[in-house]
Structure formats: structure tokens, C-alpha cells
Amino acid sequence: MSVSDEDIAFAKELFEGVGHLTTRKMMGGLCLYSDGTIFALLYSDGTLFIKAQGDFIDEVKALGCTQWTYQREGKDKPTAMPYWTLPEACLDDPDEAKALARKALSYL
């Protein structure tokens, strides 16, 4: 399944103004970049993920975000990626989403 045009438009609008925003479709999803740095993903089901590293991980955990994991064939444990679900509040408030994106970028 690929990401829908509506979901792409929503993500672009949500993060509009977070640097020079560009996107790239990859593996059925979409990568979002600010000034050439990837900071978020849009999964094919419409879920938005924010990249978190360092101390920012504790902050996104405190916001109730969950880490993106997937199961590789032939592996016993899931593989964890450095992307965390965007908090529900951010989906309804572009200012909060942009603030979180800028914070994520400050750790990259």
C-alpha cells in the first residue's frame, strides 16, 4: 500500500514553515526533510512519525509517543527505528507539530 495524496498534503501543511520542506516517497511511505535533513516519516496507513535521538527520546516518551518497530523475517526480536508516533495533540495543532519538529531537528 502506498501513502495517499491526501495524507501527503496533510503532512506538508502540518509542517509547513519548518525550514525548506521537501519530501521523498520511499518503501510505500514518505520521508519529510527540513533543509535536507530527515525529521519525520509518513507511513502508508497515514501515521506520522517524528525522529527522536538523544535526550529527545525521553521527551517523546513522556508525551505518550510509541516507537516504530517492525519484525524482520527470520529474526526473533523486532527491529526498533528512531521514529516515534506524533502526539495526537500535534495532529490538530500545526504550531505544536512545528515546535516538536524543530525540537527533533535540534538533536539531529
Side-chain angles (χ1 to χ4, degrees):
M1 179 187 339
S2 66
V3 66
S4 74
D5 291 339
E6 293 81 17
D7 287 337
I8 293 171
F10 175 77
K12 285 180 173 180
E13 184 177 327
L14 188 66
F15 293 117
E16 184 178 16
V18 179
H20 175 68
L21 188 66
T22 56
T23 62
R24 181 175 174 205
K25 287 186 177 182
M26 293 181 71
M27 298 175 278
L30 186 82
C31 298
L32 292 107
Y33 299 83
S34 172
D35 299 317
T37 301
I38 188 170
F39 71 95
L41 297 176
L42 175 60
Y43 198 64
S44 60
D45 68 359
T47 304
L48 276 165
F49 295 90
I50 196 87
K51 191 168 187 176
Q53 294 180 322
D55 294 335
F56 188 49
I57 292 172
D58 292 333
E59 291 183 47
V60 295
K61 281 182 182 179
L63 292 171
C65 303
T66 56
Q67 191 171 20
W68 176 32
T69 61
Y70 67 95
Q71 189 72 37
R72 287 187 178 199
E73 192 174 324
K75 298 286 183 177
D76 294 333
K77 295 182 186 176
T79 299
M81 301 298 290
Y83 296 94
W84 298 74
T85 54
L86 201 64
E88 285 291 321
C90 288
L91 297 174
D92 296 325
D93 188 341
D95 290 333
E96 281 192 42
K98 290 175 200 172
L100 195 63
R102 288 185 182 106
K103 187 126 191 193
L105 284 160
S106 73
Y107 284 91
L108 302 176

